[in-house]
Amino acid sequence: GENVEQHPSTLSVQEGDSAVIKCTYSDSASNYFPWYKQELGKRPQLIIDIRSNVGEKKDQRIAVTLNKTAKHFSLHITETQPEDSAVYFCAARYSSASKIIFGSGTRLSIRP
Amino acid sequence: EAGVVQSPRYKIIEKKQPVAFWCNPISGHNTLYWYLQNLGQGPELLIRYENEEAVDDSQLPKDRFSAERLKGVDSTLKIQPAELGDSAVYLCASSRAGHLGSGRNTGELFFGEGSRLTVL
């Protein structure tokens, strides 16, 4: 069935280091992969997205890579800062139903 | 531009009582979603509307949950009767189109602040 797996569930990195979060999806026809950031008590907000016709996309310190063959995509945050601490959710749009399925989230903590 | 508005932000009820949540999407967004988010988990889709039509309600527990989107704008999600396990945050989101188009941000979900339900 439709499923998005996300790892790790928690991640702690030293300020200034890089963080990587990985996700896999089950439907090979999925064509849109957004990443959302959710700070404590707040709404999820889109930080970056990638479509299936692109292998990599970068926006300042964040980047997303997509491997369609392996059906996995990753979020990369470089030069991490305290304000990067939050829960990050990957998601995939399943084209058969045009609905977005979310991963279970990664709680990222940045150590000073 | 006003964002997605939800109310109430918090609701505490006793089990077996009814509860209703309201959502006003961003103007011009014809697709509206209701998600359920348990603590420490990702949002889980309950129902998706294209205008006033519910096009995906396969995850909605229809024995106690109901939703409507009259006139294709505001939406209401109801639970009757509520159970202890319904305690969660109910998120509403909207997007400009139900499928990917040529626009850069087409398909992006804009979430409301959520309605936190506690069932005692």
Side-chain angles (χ1 to χ4, degrees):
Chain A
E2 301 154 342
N3 192 38
V4 177
E5 300 274 352
Q6 182 171 351
H7 301 280
S9 57
T10 60
L11 179 61
S12 178
V13 300
Q14 193 74 35
E15 183 178 350
D17 288 350
S18 296
V20 180
I21 302 170
K22 300 180 179 181
C23 290
T24 59
Y25 58 98
S26 57
D27 183 359
S28 57
S30 296
N31 55 11
Y32 174 64
F33 307 91
W35 286 86
Y36 284 79
K37 176 182 181 182
Q38 187 174 29
E39 297 178 356
L40 188 63
K42 297 190 176 181
R43 73 186 81 189
Q45 291 191 298
L46 181 75
I47 55 170
I48 195 169
D49 56 14
I50 191 168
R51 300 178 187 230
S52 57
N53 58 349
V54 177
E56 183 174 0
K57 183 177 179 180
K58 189 174 182 180
D59 184 2
Q60 298 182 341
R61 294 186 300 108
I62 59 173
V64 58
T65 58
L66 172 65
N67 183 328
K68 288 193 294 182
T69 302
K71 291 190 286 187
H72 66 70
F73 55 114
S74 301
L75 177 72
H76 304 253
I77 306 175
T78 59
E79 301 173 17
T80 53
Q81 301 171 2
E83 54 265 35
D84 295 330
S85 294
V87 179
Y88 292 81
F89 295 100
C90 62
R93 180 183 288 270
Y94 284 79
S95 57
S96 61
S98 294
K99 66 182 181 183
I100 292 184
I101 304 296
F102 285 82
S104 54
T106 296
R107 181 174 298 280
L108 175 64
S109 300
I110 308 301
R111 302 191 305 269
Chain B
E1 173 180 85
V4 177
V5 179
Q6 289 188 245
S7 69
R9 288 293 313 280
Y10 305 93
K11 188 74 176 178
I12 301 174
I13 61 172
E14 294 188 346
K15 62 181 180 181
K16 300 185 181 180
Q17 294 300 305
V19 64
F21 306 111
W22 174 80
C23 174
N24 180 236
I26 293 173
S27 178
H29 284 193
N30 62 333
T31 306
L32 183 145
Y33 310 75
W34 282 103
Y35 283 88
L36 176 155
Q37 186 175 29
N38 287 303
L39 188 64
Q41 298 294 315
E44 300 171 29
L45 182 66
L46 291 173
I47 190 168
R48 176 172 65 95
Y49 283 93
E50 296 288 345
N51 299 304
E52 66 276 7
E53 181 183 2
V55 295
D56 185 355
D57 62 357
S58 57
Q59 302 302 311
L60 190 71
K62 298 181 184 61
D63 57 334
R64 297 183 300 107
F65 286 64
S66 64
E68 60 182 14
R69 192 185 183 196
L70 301 176
K71 301 181 181 179
V73 182
D74 296 2
S75 177
T76 302
L77 177 70
K78 298 179 181 178
I79 309 174
Q80 183 172 11
E83 296 179 352
L84 295 176
D86 296 332
S87 295
V89 175
Y90 292 84
L91 290 165
C92 179
S94 69
S95 66
R96 188 169 292 112
H99 59 277
L100 291 180
S102 58
R104 180 173 178 270
N105 293 321
T106 300
E108 176 181 354
L109 297 187
F110 292 84
F111 284 90
E113 296 279 11
S115 294
R116 181 178 296 277
L117 172 66
T118 301
V119 182
L120 303 176

